[in-house]
Amino acid sequence: MKAQPDLVVEVRNLVKQYPGTKAVDGISFDVHQGEIFGMVGPNGAGKTTTIECLEGLRRADGGTIQVLGLDPLRDRYRLRERIGVQFQSAALPDRIKVWEAVDLFASFYPRPADWRMLLEQMGLAEKKDAYFAKLSGGQKQRVFIALALVSNPDLAFLDELTTGLDPQARRAMWDEVRGIRERGTTVFLTTHFMEEAERLCDRVAIIDHGTIVALDTPQNLIDSLGAENRVVFEAQPEVDEGALRAVPGVVRIERIGERVVVYGQEDGLVSGVVNALEAGGIRFENLRTEQPTLEDVFLALTGKEMRD
């Protein structure tokens, strides 16, 4: 396979099998230089197996892979100098200090980044003398990102980066990921948070049962679903559903207790629903609108069942 100049990752017909199951079933995709590329899917869909094949940690059973123009297995040592990896499950000794960890990892590479500047960029400068065990969950994640970036990589793999973080720490981590891209590093992100993929990624591949079922920009994926907008409000039992159904563009209505969801596709859906409620003298509260999201696409393509 001859690498194209703007492609950082090229995968063609990748297959990986385990006893009794085909974890990855002939997938193909590219990652372009300078983008944040996301791979999302249910548990067991093949995300981690795919990323481990790209990193040279697993041998594929079929297909071809090039990462930065290199074969992940044949050129593993050259490749490891050019990629950064943040693993889904990682740990450091409790008594190692932040600066000791990044200084140690920097010594592994021929052209490492300035780890002092890196700690500054990651908001860890004031914690450089802190023991790893004393850091918060978000600070520990930033340390792992720093360790992935200290090699000064052309490509960074971030695997389930924000799992276990509270919403505030998760959003702060999103800013860090955007900063990585702004500093010139291509990002390959796996996540099961659909909002995270929608907010961060230039393109998203949805993988299920080892195959890619959709790949496009988040907005194009959402538009392709053709899902309705939603008007959600709470009201007393005397809501006249017939009047709501008469509003132009209304497709269907769902009701659970006092919560009413009106689905529709017309631009004037919100005003039409409000006018119908006011004309009928219906008291309502907590009215809001909801747009289709990447999660709607994900659920439509992969189903709603829980998976272990």
Side-chain angles (χ1 to χ4, degrees), residues 53-56 65-67 70-76 79:
C53 288
L54 299 183
E55 295 163 351
I65 305 171
Q66 282 200 350
V67 179
L70 302 172
D71 181 288
L73 291 176
R74 187 177 62 246
D75 306 314
R76 63 170 65 91
L79 181 61

Side-chain angles (χ1 to χ4, degrees), residues 188-205:
F188 190 115
L189 175 75
T190 66
T191 180
H192 65 273
F193 292 112
M194 294 304 104
E195 183 185 7
E196 182 165 286
E198 186 174 341
R199 295 282 190 91
L200 286 179
C201 297
D202 298 296
R203 291 186 303 133
V204 174

Side-chain angles (χ1 to χ4, degrees), residues 171-208:
R171 280 160 177 76
M173 200 62 61
W174 294 352
D175 290 337
E176 300 295 347
V177 175
R178 294 186 187 101
I180 293 170
R181 192 257 297 277
E182 289 170 2
R183 293 191 289 271
T185 300
T186 303
V187 177
F188 190 115
L189 175 75
T190 66
T191 180
H192 65 273
F193 292 112
M194 294 304 104
E195 183 185 7
E196 182 165 286
E198 186 174 341
R199 295 282 190 91
L200 286 179
C201 297
D202 298 296
R203 291 186 303 133
V204 174
I206 299 178
I207 186 170
D208 192 28

Side-chain angles (χ1 to χ4, degrees), residues 59-166:
R59 181 181 296 275
D61 296 315
T64 57
I65 305 171
Q66 282 200 350
V67 179
L68 298 168
L70 302 172
D71 181 288
L73 291 176
R74 187 177 62 246
D75 306 314
R76 63 170 65 91
Y77 297 112
R78 292 169 59 197
L79 181 61
R80 288 172 187 173
E81 291 181 356
R82 299 183 60 191
I83 65 173
V85 179
Q86 174 269 322
F87 293 104
Q88 181 177 347
S89 298
L92 287 171
D94 286 347
R95 297 287 291 178
I96 194 170
K97 294 181 179 180
V98 171
W99 78 265
E100 292 173 332
V102 291
D103 184 55
L104 174 64
F105 273 61
S107 70
F108 299 157
Y109 301 100
R111 293 177 300 278
D114 181 340
W115 62 258
R116 295 169 184 81
M117 182 178 296
L118 187 57
L119 291 184
E120 187 73 39
Q121 292 169 343
M122 300 300 298
L124 291 168
E126 294 182 356
K127 294 292 182 178
K128 69 182 182 68
D129 292 316
Y131 291 118
F132 181 75
K134 298 296 184 180
L135 301 178
S136 68
Q139 289 166 345
K140 288 179 179 178
Q141 287 290 60
R142 291 204 295 276
V143 169
F144 289 132
I145 295 178
L147 297 180
L149 298 180
V150 76
S151 63
N152 219 359
D154 298 307
L155 171 64
F157 291 97
L158 306 179
D159 192 11
E160 299 289 356
L161 177 66
T162 62
T163 297
L165 299 186
D166 60 59

Side-chain angles (χ1 to χ4, degrees), residues 218-295:
Q219 190 58 55
N220 284 347
L221 289 172
I222 292 167
D223 292 343
S224 71
L225 185 64
E228 306 97 347
N229 294 327
R230 299 181 288 269
V231 179
V232 184
F233 59 90
E234 296 174 5
Q236 297 302 314
E238 65 270 15
V239 170
D240 183 357
E241 293 190 11
L244 290 175
R245 289 194 178 91
V247 173
V250 170
V251 175
R252 57 194 171 95
I253 299 171
E254 290 182 357
R255 179 157 191 169
I256 303 175
E258 296 183 354
R259 185 175 184 268
V260 181
V261 184
V262 181
Y263 294 83
Q265 294 180 322
E266 293 291 329
D267 291 338
L269 180 67
V270 178
S271 59
V273 168
V274 171
N275 290 340
L277 292 171
E278 291 180 342
I282 304 301
R283 296 178 58 188
F284 62 91
E285 58 186 12
N286 299 327
L287 185 142
R288 66 185 185 277
T289 61
E290 296 178 353
Q291 305 296 320
T293 67
L294 191 61
E295 184 169 354

